[in-house]
Amino acid sequence: MRTSPFPAELTAAVDPGKLPGIIFSGWQSPSNIAFIKYWGKRPLQLPLYPSLSMTLQEAFTQTLVEATLHDGNPSPIMINNDPAHPFLGKLAPFLDWFTVKIPVLNQYSFRITTRNSFPHSTGIASSASGMSAFALCLLTIASEAVSLQLPNEHLMPMASFAARMGSGSACRSLFGGYTVWGETDLIPRSNDLEAIGITHVVHPSLTSLHDAILVISRQPKRLSSSKGHETMNRHPFAEARIEQARDHLTGILQAMKEGNLERVGSIAEAEALSLHALVMSAAGGAVLLEPATLTVMNRIREARSLGLPVFFTLDAGPNVHLLYPEENKSQVQRFIENELAPYCTDGLWIDDLCGAGPGRIEEVTRSPEFSS
Ligand code: 2P0
């Protein structure tokens, strides 16, 4: 199996005397919502089976990294001027992994400024957007340090490979549109090490799909993702789940190709319910759904039976992602305001849609965050 996608120029030892003293990099990277859920993993952050997601547009992280050459004693990593920022728990081991793979990064100290476009604990995966943005920043810094040009078609798969080590679902945030992570015969070049964009095999009608995130609760997660994934190692239904996810992938890919929203939506719903059934039936399992989650899911199905093209999916929490097509926007938004918003915390719901993927933040050196 391949162990690294990085070219020799990035992985070679370097003479510190030849390196730039300071390098800035800034990237905006989106979150994503899975239609086929990643749940359970093997060592080295490899999935048990392929997952499929839609990239979001409005839910993103913007990360700016200032890398300063040190003289052998790196300064502590700072996130938003805080050397004890809570995100460091996940970010520091990720940076350690990066510096082993790309040793030139060892020569630098890092100051990171980061912000999310969306509120925390609302059912949007900030680890996907945050880790993918950080991976892009570090790869850009490393390539600039060794004067290597990395066009996006090379950079994005490398960033996906790297982001996976920060958080599995983050590897699906690099390509825009729809993405699959995990080896399947159905998609040429798909593999477990990085995700691959599949929008070219998706019907154009699905590239403007909306995802309205209905915020049922903003309580902290009852089950961390790492604990959740771990339960699949000895789950009584693991084998059946893997088979089901593979069948769902076959079905959804065909439906996406045809632009069959009804079928895409019903598979997304079945996946969401399976995910929660797995969580509930695991040893030491948890119930992550709230009563209002059930009411909202039922209301969505009722509205659908009356002709409104609305579908739901869920992350590993109580908040509901409502999927609907662009052409029904005003009708669906009225339905949300009138019938679903009363079940949301403070009436909060966030309208998002299928997005274009990461973008470089230009003019980073002139950003006010870096002026001292
Ligand atoms: C997903 N989730 O496919 C699934 C659905 C949650 C439910 O990926 O341990 O934060 O960092 O690899 O990616 C959440 O897991 O877990 C997740 P790690 P991650 O989006």
Side-chain angles (χ1 to χ4, degrees):
M1 188 167 63
R2 247 177 341 125
T3 52
S4 164
F6 306 125
E9 293 95 320
L10 278 185
T11 56
V14 286
D15 173 0
K18 296 194 174 141
L19 294 172
I22 189 156
I23 307 174
F24 296 94
S25 177
W27 282 89
Q28 173 172 311
S29 189
S31 187
N32 66 76
I33 177 71
F35 289 4
I36 304 293
K37 308 291 180 183
Y38 152 54
W39 201 240
K41 56 177 150 179
R42 296 177 286 130
L44 298 179
Q45 201 82 317
L46 298 173
L48 290 183
Y49 54 80
S51 58
L52 180 150
S53 61
M54 181 176 89
T55 311
L56 297 178
Q57 175 67 16
E58 305 294 343
F60 55 79
T61 298
Q62 290 181 321
T63 298
L64 310 176
V65 178
E66 179 194 53
T68 314
L69 198 64
H70 62 72
D71 53 6
N73 291 310
S75 312
I77 314 168
M78 300 275 266
I79 301 185
N80 296 347
N81 286 322
D82 181 357
H85 192 279
F87 195 39
L88 273 168
K90 267 196 127 176
L91 199 106
F94 183 38
L95 183 60
D96 288 345
W97 174 86
F98 242 114
T99 53
V100 169
K101 293 285 177 194
I102 304 183
V104 67
L105 292 171
N106 260 323
Q107 309 293 334
Y108 288 90
S109 297
F110 298 100
R111 205 151 70 88
I112 299 157
T113 308
T114 188
R115 64 170 280 269
N116 294 331
S117 65
F118 50 93
H120 66 88
S121 303
T122 47
I124 298 170
S126 59
S127 62
S129 51
M131 290 299 182
S132 53
F134 188 56
L136 284 164
C137 288
L138 286 188
L139 279 171
T140 312
I141 286 168
S143 60
E144 203 171 315
V146 300
S147 306
L148 173 70
Q149 294 290 328
L150 269 185
N152 276 2
E153 71 259 34
H154 294 151
L155 173 63
M156 294 304 168
M158 284 181 213
S160 176
F161 180 101
R164 180 189 108 239
M165 300 309 293
S167 184
S169 54
C171 78
R172 297 188 311 236
S173 278
L174 283 306
F175 304 98
Y178 293 91
T179 300
V180 162
W181 168 36
E183 188 178 348
T184 165
D185 293 342
L186 303 170
I187 300 173
R189 295 189 312 281
S190 59
N191 69 86
D192 290 350
L193 300 174
E194 74 246 333
I196 182 165
I198 59 155
T199 311
H200 59 287
V201 291
V202 172
H203 193 276
S205 62
L206 292 171
T207 55
S208 55
L209 195 64
H210 281 248
D211 173 16
I213 301 137
L214 309 170
V215 183
I216 304 294
S217 165
R218 296 193 60 187
Q219 293 303 310
K221 281 187 182 182
R222 277 197 211 129
L223 180 76
S224 71
S225 325
S226 49
K227 286 240 159 56
H229 288 295
E230 221 176 278
T231 63
M232 287 302 284
N233 295 338
R234 50 187 185 287
H235 200 291
F237 305 144
E239 208 176 308
R241 165 59 189 157
I242 294 170
E243 199 180 318
Q244 181 199 46
R246 289 192 179 277
D247 287 349
H248 279 163
L249 183 69
T250 307
I252 207 166
L253 283 171
Q254 183 59 33
M256 290 175 86
K257 191 172 158 189
E258 293 162 358
N260 183 344
L261 178 62
E262 182 76 32
R263 182 100 189 99
V264 171
S266 60
I267 294 174
E269 289 191 359
E271 275 289 301
L273 296 172
S274 273
L275 169 71
H276 281 266
L278 288 165
V279 171
M280 286 188 258
S281 55
V287 179
L288 307 179
L289 304 172
E290 294 292 336
T293 313
L294 302 178
T295 306
V296 165
M297 290 191 301
N298 285 328
R299 287 283 169 99
I300 290 171
R301 284 185 163 177
E302 271 164 36
R304 186 158 80 243
S305 73
L306 297 172
L308 198 63
V310 282
F311 305 85
F312 65 79
T313 186
L314 305 163
D315 225 322
N319 300 324
V320 180
H321 291 246
L322 187 157
L323 307 172
Y324 69 93
E326 168 73 23
E327 69 247 38
N328 295 84
K329 186 168 164 177
S330 49
Q331 220 182 346
V332 173
Q333 295 197 347
R334 261 199 317 276
F335 163 63
I336 296 173
E337 272 303 333
N338 294 339
E339 298 197 35
L340 305 181
Y343 296 97
C344 299
T345 293
D346 302 326
L348 179 63
W349 63 279
I350 299 166
D351 196 42
D352 209 332
L353 73 165
C354 184
R360 202 165 175 151
I361 302 170
E362 304 297 344
E363 306 285 335
V364 169
T365 49
R366 281 192 241 147
S367 156
E369 281 93 339
F370 286 118
S371 56
S372 46

